[in-house]
Amino acid sequence: MIESHSMTNDIRKAVKIELIKKDVSQVDIAEKIGVTPQHLSRMLSESSKSKSGDLPEAWEKLLNELGLELVVKAKSE
């Protein structure tokens, strides 16, 4: 079984960087994707754990709003 904790943290980090680059607050983006600021904060928290292997709808909306897509590729050796 693949450990997804590191991958999830990489996704969170990329989203946080994109928010800074686009000068968008978590409150503003939360409103745009239809979640509370508290929910978004939990999504971006490293202590947050999903029990499902599915990409939650809120994450999908967040990535779409920021113009990001989730891509899986082989690591360079």
Side-chain angles (χ1 to χ4, degrees), residues 28-42:
D28 289 340
I29 201 75
E31 184 178 295
K32 286 185 177 184
I33 67 170
V35 299
T36 66
Q38 295 82 2
H39 183 88
L40 180 61
S41 179
R42 284 191 302 272

Side-chain angles (χ1 to χ4, degrees), residues 10-24:
D10 289 346
I11 294 167
R12 287 184 178 111
K13 182 178 178 181
V15 167
K16 289 176 186 177
I17 290 169
E18 198 64 24
L19 286 169
I20 292 167
K21 283 174 35 179
K22 294 184 182 264
D23 194 28
V24 177

